[in-house]
PDB file of all heavy atoms in Angstrom:
ATOM      1  N   GLY I  30       6.192   9.122  17.728  1.00  0.00           N
ATOM      2  CA  GLY I  30       6.761   8.154  18.637  1.00  0.00           C
ATOM      3  C   GLY I  30       6.823   6.759  18.098  1.00  0.00           C
ATOM      4  O   GLY I  30       7.224   5.822  18.851  1.00  0.00           O
ATOM      5  N   LYS I  31       6.500   6.584  16.821  1.00  0.00           N
ATOM      6  CA  LYS I  31       6.542   5.241  16.228  1.00  0.00           C
ATOM      7  C   LYS I  31       7.474   5.181  15.029  1.00  0.00           C
ATOM      8  O   LYS I  31       7.826   6.232  14.462  1.00  0.00           O
ATOM      9  CB  LYS I  31       5.107   4.818  15.803  1.00  0.00           C
ATOM     10  CG  LYS I  31       4.147   4.650  16.933  1.00  0.00           C
ATOM     11  CD  LYS I  31       2.842   4.065  16.456  1.00  0.00           C
ATOM     12  CE  LYS I  31       1.882   3.789  17.609  1.00  0.00           C
ATOM     13  NZ  LYS I  31       0.600   3.207  17.141  1.00  0.00           N
ATOM     14  N   GLN I  32       7.861   3.987  14.675  1.00  0.00           N
ATOM     15  CA  GLN I  32       8.724   3.797  13.498  1.00  0.00           C
ATOM     16  C   GLN I  32       7.884   3.951  12.198  1.00  0.00           C
ATOM     17  O   GLN I  32       6.691   3.714  12.185  1.00  0.00           O
ATOM     18  CB  GLN I  32       9.385   2.439  13.541  1.00  0.00           C
ATOM     19  CG  GLN I  32      10.431   2.291  14.612  1.00  0.00           C
ATOM     20  CD  GLN I  32      11.256   0.993  14.488  1.00  0.00           C
ATOM     21  OE1 GLN I  32      10.711   0.021  13.987  1.00  0.00           O
ATOM     22  NE2 GLN I  32      12.466   1.030  14.930  1.00  0.00           N
ATOM     23  N   ARG I  33       8.585   4.329  11.162  1.00  0.00           N
ATOM     24  CA  ARG I  33       7.919   4.406   9.845  1.00  0.00           C
ATOM     25  C   ARG I  33       7.544   3.032   9.427  1.00  0.00           C
ATOM     26  O   ARG I  33       8.361   2.097   9.563  1.00  0.00           O
ATOM     27  CB  ARG I  33       8.862   5.081   8.821  1.00  0.00           C
ATOM     28  CG  ARG I  33       8.214   5.441   7.516  1.00  0.00           C
ATOM     29  CD  ARG I  33       9.139   6.234   6.626  1.00  0.00           C
ATOM     30  NE  ARG I  33       9.529   7.527   7.255  1.00  0.00           N
ATOM     31  CZ  ARG I  33      10.214   8.453   6.570  1.00  0.00           C
ATOM     32  NH1 ARG I  33      10.557   8.260   5.347  1.00  0.00           N
ATOM     33  NH2 ARG I  33      10.494   9.577   7.202  1.00  0.00           N
ATOM     34  N   GLU I  34       6.311   2.897   8.880  1.00  0.00           N
ATOM     35  CA  GLU I  34       5.897   1.593   8.431  1.00  0.00           C
ATOM     36  C   GLU I  34       5.365   1.681   6.979  1.00  0.00           C
ATOM     37  O   GLU I  34       4.868   2.705   6.537  1.00  0.00           O
ATOM     38  CB  GLU I  34       4.765   1.061   9.319  1.00  0.00           C
ATOM     39  CG  GLU I  34       3.443   1.797   9.226  1.00  0.00           C
ATOM     40  CD  GLU I  34       2.306   1.105   9.897  1.00  0.00           C
ATOM     41  OE1 GLU I  34       2.401  -0.138  10.280  1.00  0.00           O
ATOM     42  OE2 GLU I  34       1.218   1.706  10.085  1.00  0.00           O
ATOM     43  N   ALA I  35       5.539   0.555   6.297  1.00  0.00           N
ATOM     44  CA  ALA I  35       5.019   0.497   4.932  1.00  0.00           C
ATOM     45  C   ALA I  35       3.516   0.282   4.961  1.00  0.00           C
ATOM     46  O   ALA I  35       3.006  -0.538   5.714  1.00  0.00           O
ATOM     47  CB  ALA I  35       5.699  -0.710   4.154  1.00  0.00           C
ATOM     48  N   VAL I  36       2.806   1.049   4.171  1.00  0.00           N
ATOM     49  CA  VAL I  36       1.354   0.981   4.117  1.00  0.00           C
ATOM     50  C   VAL I  36       0.849   0.236   2.885  1.00  0.00           C
ATOM     51  O   VAL I  36       0.073  -0.693   2.993  1.00  0.00           O
ATOM     52  CB  VAL I  36       0.782   2.413   4.123  1.00  0.00           C
ATOM     53  CG1 VAL I  36      -0.764   2.351   4.012  1.00  0.00           C
ATOM     54  CG2 VAL I  36       1.166   3.125   5.398  1.00  0.00           C
ATOM     55  N   ALA I  37       1.404   0.614   1.693  1.00  0.00           N
ATOM     56  CA  ALA I  37       0.917   0.038   0.478  1.00  0.00           C
ATOM     57  C   ALA I  37       1.999   0.191  -0.576  1.00  0.00           C
ATOM     58  O   ALA I  37       2.744   1.130  -0.540  1.00  0.00           O
ATOM     59  CB  ALA I  37      -0.395   0.633   0.010  1.00  0.00           C
ATOM     60  N   SER I  38       2.006  -0.771  -1.537  1.00  0.00           N
ATOM     61  CA  SER I  38       2.987  -0.654  -2.602  1.00  0.00           C
ATOM     62  C   SER I  38       2.361  -1.199  -3.862  1.00  0.00           C
ATOM     63  O   SER I  38       1.432  -2.011  -3.850  1.00  0.00           O
ATOM     64  CB  SER I  38       4.255  -1.421  -2.276  1.00  0.00           C
ATOM     65  OG  SER I  38       3.998  -2.807  -2.146  1.00  0.00           O
ATOM     66  N   ILE I  39       2.926  -0.767  -5.032  1.00  0.00           N
ATOM     67  CA  ILE I  39       2.502  -1.218  -6.324  1.00  0.00           C
ATOM     68  C   ILE I  39       3.701  -1.457  -7.206  1.00  0.00           C
ATOM     69  O   ILE I  39       4.653  -0.678  -7.219  1.00  0.00           O
ATOM     70  CB  ILE I  39       1.513  -0.211  -6.953  1.00  0.00           C
ATOM     71  CG1 ILE I  39       0.929  -0.745  -8.238  1.00  0.00           C
ATOM     72  CG2 ILE I  39       2.198   1.166  -7.174  1.00  0.00           C
ATOM     73  CD1 ILE I  39      -0.283   0.055  -8.752  1.00  0.00           C
ATOM     74  N   SER I  40       3.663  -2.601  -7.865  1.00  0.00           N
ATOM     75  CA  SER I  40       4.767  -3.013  -8.735  1.00  0.00           C
ATOM     76  C   SER I  40       4.519  -2.551 -10.190  1.00  0.00           C
ATOM     77  O   SER I  40       3.384  -2.187 -10.503  1.00  0.00           O
ATOM     78  CB  SER I  40       4.916  -4.525  -8.670  1.00  0.00           C
ATOM     79  OG  SER I  40       5.172  -4.974  -7.374  1.00  0.00           O
ATOM     80  N   PRO I  41       5.531  -2.622 -11.023  1.00  0.00           N
ATOM     81  CA  PRO I  41       5.328  -2.279 -12.423  1.00  0.00           C
ATOM     82  C   PRO I  41       4.207  -3.068 -13.155  1.00  0.00           C
ATOM     83  O   PRO I  41       3.562  -2.547 -14.032  1.00  0.00           O
ATOM     84  CB  PRO I  41       6.684  -2.510 -13.078  1.00  0.00           C
ATOM     85  CG  PRO I  41       7.626  -2.322 -11.975  1.00  0.00           C
ATOM     86  CD  PRO I  41       6.952  -2.870 -10.714  1.00  0.00           C
ATOM     87  N   ASP I  42       4.005  -4.281 -12.670  1.00  0.00           N
ATOM     88  CA  ASP I  42       2.963  -5.084 -13.334  1.00  0.00           C
ATOM     89  C   ASP I  42       1.599  -4.836 -12.730  1.00  0.00           C
ATOM     90  O   ASP I  42       0.587  -5.430 -13.136  1.00  0.00           O
ATOM     91  CB  ASP I  42       3.293  -6.591 -13.217  1.00  0.00           C
ATOM     92  CG  ASP I  42       3.289  -7.112 -11.769  1.00  0.00           C
ATOM     93  OD1 ASP I  42       3.009  -6.295 -10.858  1.00  0.00           O
ATOM     94  OD2 ASP I  42       3.545  -8.304 -11.578  1.00  0.00           O
ATOM     95  N   GLY I  43       1.531  -3.902 -11.789  1.00  0.00           N
ATOM     96  CA  GLY I  43       0.225  -3.503 -11.216  1.00  0.00           C
ATOM     97  C   GLY I  43      -0.131  -4.285  -9.970  1.00  0.00           C
ATOM     98  O   GLY I  43      -1.187  -3.948  -9.322  1.00  0.00           O
ATOM     99  N   SER I  44       0.641  -5.248  -9.540  1.00  0.00           N
ATOM    100  CA  SER I  44       0.358  -5.995  -8.325  1.00  0.00           C
ATOM    101  C   SER I  44       0.529  -5.091  -7.126  1.00  0.00           C
ATOM    102  O   SER I  44       1.433  -4.209  -7.130  1.00  0.00           O
ATOM    103  CB  SER I  44       1.178  -7.257  -8.225  1.00  0.00           C
ATOM    104  OG  SER I  44       2.565  -6.919  -8.225  1.00  0.00           O
ATOM    105  N   THR I  45      -0.292  -5.266  -6.130  1.00  0.00           N
ATOM    106  CA  THR I  45      -0.330  -4.410  -4.948  1.00  0.00           C
ATOM    107  C   THR I  45      -0.162  -5.221  -3.639  1.00  0.00           C
ATOM    108  O   THR I  45      -0.473  -6.417  -3.617  1.00  0.00           O
ATOM    109  CB  THR I  45      -1.603  -3.569  -4.871  1.00  0.00           C
ATOM    110  OG1 THR I  45      -2.732  -4.497  -4.861  1.00  0.00           O
ATOM    111  CG2 THR I  45      -1.740  -2.645  -6.072  1.00  0.00           C
ATOM    112  N   ASN I  46       0.317  -4.532  -2.667  1.00  0.00           N
ATOM    113  CA  ASN I  46       0.419  -5.109  -1.316  1.00  0.00           C
ATOM    114  C   ASN I  46       0.029  -4.085  -0.274  1.00  0.00           C
ATOM    115  O   ASN I  46       0.259  -2.894  -0.496  1.00  0.00           O
ATOM    116  CB  ASN I  46       1.883  -5.581  -1.053  1.00  0.00           C
ATOM    117  CG  ASN I  46       2.141  -6.930  -1.625  1.00  0.00           C
ATOM    118  OD1 ASN I  46       1.630  -7.964  -1.203  1.00  0.00           O
ATOM    119  ND2 ASN I  46       2.953  -6.917  -2.678  1.00  0.00           N
ATOM    120  N   TYR I  47      -0.574  -4.552   0.805  1.00  0.00           N
ATOM    121  CA  TYR I  47      -1.042  -3.642   1.841  1.00  0.00           C
ATOM    122  C   TYR I  47      -0.668  -4.196   3.219  1.00  0.00           C
ATOM    123  O   TYR I  47      -0.680  -5.404   3.432  1.00  0.00           O
ATOM    124  CB  TYR I  47      -2.546  -3.471   1.778  1.00  0.00           C
ATOM    125  CG  TYR I  47      -3.072  -2.902   0.502  1.00  0.00           C
ATOM    126  CD1 TYR I  47      -3.461  -3.711  -0.559  1.00  0.00           C
ATOM    127  CD2 TYR I  47      -3.219  -1.521   0.338  1.00  0.00           C
ATOM    128  CE1 TYR I  47      -3.913  -3.181  -1.740  1.00  0.00           C
ATOM    129  CE2 TYR I  47      -3.672  -0.993  -0.812  1.00  0.00           C
ATOM    130  CZ  TYR I  47      -4.003  -1.823  -1.883  1.00  0.00           C
ATOM    131  OH  TYR I  47      -4.469  -1.247  -3.034  1.00  0.00           O
ATOM    132  N   VAL I  48      -0.438  -3.328   4.155  1.00  0.00           N
ATOM    133  CA  VAL I  48      -0.293  -3.763   5.535  1.00  0.00           C
ATOM    134  C   VAL I  48      -1.690  -4.183   6.027  1.00  0.00           C
ATOM    135  O   VAL I  48      -2.732  -3.659   5.571  1.00  0.00           O
ATOM    136  CB  VAL I  48       0.279  -2.607   6.420  1.00  0.00           C
ATOM    137  CG1 VAL I  48      -0.670  -1.453   6.539  1.00  0.00           C
ATOM    138  CG2 VAL I  48       0.696  -3.127   7.752  1.00  0.00           C
ATOM    139  N   ASP I  49      -1.745  -5.129   6.899  1.00  0.00           N
ATOM    140  CA  ASP I  49      -3.023  -5.736   7.314  1.00  0.00           C
ATOM    141  C   ASP I  49      -3.988  -4.678   7.840  1.00  0.00           C
ATOM    142  O   ASP I  49      -5.218  -4.763   7.604  1.00  0.00           O
ATOM    143  CB  ASP I  49      -2.813  -6.801   8.369  1.00  0.00           C
ATOM    144  CG  ASP I  49      -2.252  -8.077   7.792  1.00  0.00           C
ATOM    145  OD1 ASP I  49      -2.267  -8.257   6.560  1.00  0.00           O
ATOM    146  OD2 ASP I  49      -1.783  -8.933   8.594  1.00  0.00           O
ATOM    147  N   SER I  50      -3.500  -3.693   8.544  1.00  0.00           N
ATOM    148  CA  SER I  50      -4.363  -2.687   9.201  1.00  0.00           C
ATOM    149  C   SER I  50      -5.148  -1.817   8.250  1.00  0.00           C
ATOM    150  O   SER I  50      -6.129  -1.171   8.643  1.00  0.00           O
ATOM    151  CB  SER I  50      -3.548  -1.842  10.177  1.00  0.00           C
ATOM    152  OG  SER I  50      -2.555  -1.129   9.459  1.00  0.00           O
ATOM    153  N   VAL I  51      -4.775  -1.826   6.967  1.00  0.00           N
ATOM    154  CA  VAL I  51      -5.450  -0.937   5.993  1.00  0.00           C
ATOM    155  C   VAL I  51      -6.172  -1.711   4.891  1.00  0.00           C
ATOM    156  O   VAL I  51      -6.866  -1.131   4.070  1.00  0.00           O
ATOM    157  CB  VAL I  51      -4.524   0.122   5.350  1.00  0.00           C
ATOM    158  CG1 VAL I  51      -3.765   0.909   6.398  1.00  0.00           C
ATOM    159  CG2 VAL I  51      -3.596  -0.553   4.373  1.00  0.00           C
ATOM    160  N   LYS I  52      -6.013  -3.016   4.910  1.00  0.00           N
ATOM    161  CA  LYS I  52      -6.667  -3.855   3.877  1.00  0.00           C
ATOM    162  C   LYS I  52      -8.169  -3.638   3.870  1.00  0.00           C
ATOM    163  O   LYS I  52      -8.802  -3.678   4.929  1.00  0.00           O
ATOM    164  CB  LYS I  52      -6.306  -5.310   4.099  1.00  0.00           C
ATOM    165  CG  LYS I  52      -4.906  -5.660   3.667  1.00  0.00           C
ATOM    166  CD  LYS I  52      -4.595  -7.170   3.884  1.00  0.00           C
ATOM    167  CE  LYS I  52      -3.200  -7.494   3.489  1.00  0.00           C
ATOM    168  NZ  LYS I  52      -2.850  -8.937   3.729  1.00  0.00           N
ATOM    169  N   GLY I  53      -8.723  -3.450   2.695  1.00  0.00           N
ATOM    170  CA  GLY I  53     -10.161  -3.240   2.540  1.00  0.00           C
ATOM    171  C   GLY I  53     -10.580  -1.816   2.719  1.00  0.00           C
ATOM    172  O   GLY I  53     -11.721  -1.438   2.465  1.00  0.00           O
ATOM    173  N   ARG I  54      -9.631  -0.954   3.198  1.00  0.00           N
ATOM    174  CA  ARG I  54      -9.931   0.473   3.370  1.00  0.00           C
ATOM    175  C   ARG I  54      -9.133   1.375   2.442  1.00  0.00           C
ATOM    176  O   ARG I  54      -9.628   2.397   1.982  1.00  0.00           O
ATOM    177  CB  ARG I  54      -9.671   0.840   4.833  1.00  0.00           C
ATOM    178  CG  ARG I  54     -10.513   0.124   5.835  1.00  0.00           C
ATOM    179  CD  ARG I  54     -10.325   0.660   7.250  1.00  0.00           C
ATOM    180  NE  ARG I  54      -9.010   0.618   7.720  1.00  0.00           N
ATOM    181  CZ  ARG I  54      -8.284   1.685   8.150  1.00  0.00           C
ATOM    182  NH1 ARG I  54      -8.821   2.852   8.049  1.00  0.00           N
ATOM    183  NH2 ARG I  54      -7.018   1.529   8.571  1.00  0.00           N
ATOM    184  N   PHE I  55      -7.882   0.997   2.198  1.00  0.00           N
ATOM    185  CA  PHE I  55      -6.992   1.800   1.388  1.00  0.00           C
ATOM    186  C   PHE I  55      -6.785   1.176   0.025  1.00  0.00           C
ATOM    187  O   PHE I  55      -6.757  -0.074  -0.058  1.00  0.00           O
ATOM    188  CB  PHE I  55      -5.628   1.990   2.051  1.00  0.00           C
ATOM    189  CG  PHE I  55      -5.629   2.850   3.294  1.00  0.00           C
ATOM    190  CD1 PHE I  55      -6.793   3.274   3.879  1.00  0.00           C
ATOM    191  CD2 PHE I  55      -4.408   3.245   3.823  1.00  0.00           C
ATOM    192  CE1 PHE I  55      -6.755   4.067   5.039  1.00  0.00           C
ATOM    193  CE2 PHE I  55      -4.338   4.042   4.942  1.00  0.00           C
ATOM    194  CZ  PHE I  55      -5.548   4.453   5.575  1.00  0.00           C
ATOM    195  N   THR I  56      -6.609   1.983  -0.997  1.00  0.00           N
ATOM    196  CA  THR I  56      -6.318   1.428  -2.327  1.00  0.00           C
ATOM    197  C   THR I  56      -5.184   2.292  -2.938  1.00  0.00           C
ATOM    198  O   THR I  56      -5.299   3.516  -3.059  1.00  0.00           O
ATOM    199  CB  THR I  56      -7.539   1.513  -3.235  1.00  0.00           C
ATOM    200  OG1 THR I  56      -8.621   0.796  -2.645  1.00  0.00           O
ATOM    201  CG2 THR I  56      -7.201   0.898  -4.623  1.00  0.00           C
ATOM    202  N   ILE I  57      -4.109   1.576  -3.371  1.00  0.00           N
ATOM    203  CA  ILE I  57      -3.055   2.259  -4.097  1.00  0.00           C
ATOM    204  C   ILE I  57      -3.255   2.085  -5.589  1.00  0.00           C
ATOM    205  O   ILE I  57      -3.680   0.979  -6.059  1.00  0.00           O
ATOM    206  CB  ILE I  57      -1.652   1.690  -3.652  1.00  0.00           C
ATOM    207  CG1 ILE I  57      -0.503   2.567  -4.260  1.00  0.00           C
ATOM    208  CG2 ILE I  57      -1.491   0.241  -3.977  1.00  0.00           C
ATOM    209  CD1 ILE I  57       0.822   2.246  -3.658  1.00  0.00           C
ATOM    210  N   SER I  58      -2.978   3.107  -6.351  1.00  0.00           N
ATOM    211  CA  SER I  58      -3.138   3.014  -7.797  1.00  0.00           C
ATOM    212  C   SER I  58      -2.104   3.940  -8.438  1.00  0.00           C
ATOM    213  O   SER I  58      -1.485   4.760  -7.799  1.00  0.00           O
ATOM    214  CB  SER I  58      -4.547   3.385  -8.206  1.00  0.00           C
ATOM    215  OG  SER I  58      -4.830   4.766  -7.862  1.00  0.00           O
ATOM    216  N   ARG I  59      -1.966   3.751  -9.772  1.00  0.00           N
ATOM    217  CA  ARG I  59      -0.995   4.550 -10.497  1.00  0.00           C
ATOM    218  C   ARG I  59      -1.540   4.998 -11.815  1.00  0.00           C
ATOM    219  O   ARG I  59      -2.217   4.218 -12.510  1.00  0.00           O
ATOM    220  CB  ARG I  59       0.281   3.683 -10.733  1.00  0.00           C
ATOM    221  CG  ARG I  59       1.412   4.387 -11.435  1.00  0.00           C
ATOM    222  CD  ARG I  59       2.671   3.512 -11.396  1.00  0.00           C
ATOM    223  NE  ARG I  59       2.504   2.283 -12.116  1.00  0.00           N
ATOM    224  CZ  ARG I  59       2.958   2.129 -13.375  1.00  0.00           C
ATOM    225  NH1 ARG I  59       3.552   3.146 -13.976  1.00  0.00           N
ATOM    226  NH2 ARG I  59       2.855   0.975 -13.972  1.00  0.00           N
ATOM    227  N   ASP I  60      -1.272   6.245 -12.127  1.00  0.00           N
ATOM    228  CA  ASP I  60      -1.630   6.808 -13.423  1.00  0.00           C
ATOM    229  C   ASP I  60      -0.372   6.768 -14.247  1.00  0.00           C
ATOM    230  O   ASP I  60       0.519   7.566 -14.067  1.00  0.00           O
ATOM    231  CB  ASP I  60      -2.159   8.231 -13.249  1.00  0.00           C
ATOM    232  CG  ASP I  60      -2.608   8.859 -14.544  1.00  0.00           C
ATOM    233  OD1 ASP I  60      -2.025   8.533 -15.634  1.00  0.00           O
ATOM    234  OD2 ASP I  60      -3.548   9.679 -14.550  1.00  0.00           O
ATOM    235  N   THR I  61      -0.296   5.796 -15.161  1.00  0.00           N
ATOM    236  CA  THR I  61       0.951   5.565 -15.909  1.00  0.00           C
ATOM    237  C   THR I  61       1.370   6.764 -16.697  1.00  0.00           C
ATOM    238  O   THR I  61       2.537   7.157 -16.634  1.00  0.00           O
ATOM    239  CB  THR I  61       0.809   4.329 -16.748  1.00  0.00           C
ATOM    240  OG1 THR I  61       0.495   3.190 -15.923  1.00  0.00           O
ATOM    241  CG2 THR I  61       2.111   4.026 -17.498  1.00  0.00           C
TER     242      THR I  61
END
């Protein structure tokens, strides 16, 4: 019943972004 929302993202340089509701709880990472 809700719209799709962005949770976390990671850029090629490794910088990350999180939606406020998951900050401090979720971690995005990449195995290059």
Side-chain angles (χ1 to χ4, degrees):
K31 294 187 177 181
Q32 289 189 332
R33 190 173 298 188
E34 67 169 348
V36 176
S38 64
I39 186 166
S40 301
D42 65 1
S44 59
T45 58
N46 279 290
Y47 299 91
V48 68
D49 285 346
S50 59
V51 308
K52 285 180 180 177
R54 300 189 298 122
F55 291 11
T56 302
I57 188 170
S58 62
R59 182 169 65 98
D60 183 329
T61 302

